[in-house]
Amino acid sequence: MDGLLLFAHGARDPLWARPFHAVEARVRAARPGLPMVLAYLEFMQPELETAAHQLAEQGCTRIHIVPMFLGTGGHVRRDIPPMLERLQSHYGERIEWLLHPALGEQDRVLQAMTDASLAWLDASPPVQQEPS
């Protein structure tokens, strides 16, 4: 059984997580029976390893880890691999861990950010130029 682990950075301000909770709610609405956990790198709970254990306890044998980052920076390259190594060591071959690219590097996300940026221009009233 597949599980989904959405993985965000985390912040001290709980309001920061609102967009991630919105994504979590939309995924749950689209796939009501899918085992899923939203986890954080720091400042917020649960952390990645705790979330992974929760999915394993639900019987997941393949867990998709989706970094909800704009790019594959140091956290994705440096911080996640040792966590996955610990999980692989703990669970052996009972669970397959699939680390996907950062969301911000996917074409659909890039297009959505482009469209949202351009929408601000389209929604703004034209700037009136004073006659010279």
Side-chain angles (χ1 to χ4, degrees):
M1 172 172 47
D2 283 2
L4 180 62
L5 197 160
L6 302 175
F7 186 59
H9 186 276
R12 288 180 180 92
D13 181 356
L15 295 179
W16 169 90
R18 284 192 309 193
F20 302 101
H21 290 290
V23 170
E24 177 186 27
R26 290 176 183 203
V27 171
R28 284 194 195 285
R31 300 274 175 91
L34 177 68
M36 178 183 60
V37 180
L38 172 59
Y40 302 95
L41 177 65
E42 56 189 7
F43 305 119
M44 303 178 99
Q45 297 296 320
E47 295 176 340
L48 184 136
E49 291 181 55
T50 300
H53 293 309
Q54 291 172 2
L55 290 170
E57 288 171 4
Q58 293 180 53
C60 296
T61 55
R62 182 169 51 189
I63 297 176
H64 297 263
I65 301 169
V66 179
M68 299 181 74
F69 293 80
L70 287 180
T72 303
H75 291 310
V76 175
R77 284 193 316 271
R78 215 178 29 247
D79 297 330
I80 297 175
M83 294 177 202
L84 287 181
E85 286 175 20
R86 285 191 295 276
L87 290 166
Q88 287 172 330
S89 173
H90 181 78
Y91 289 100
E93 294 185 19
R94 291 177 293 177
I95 297 179
E96 180 181 7
W97 306 95
L98 301 172
L99 177 61
H100 295 283
L103 278 181
E105 294 183 357
Q106 294 181 23
D107 190 59
R108 286 196 277 182
V109 175
L110 293 170
Q111 188 60 51
M113 291 191 307
T114 301
D115 294 344
S117 298
L118 292 173
W120 287 111
L121 293 175
D122 296 339
S124 298
V127 176
Q128 298 290 326
Q129 299 236 346
E130 296 292 322
S132 346

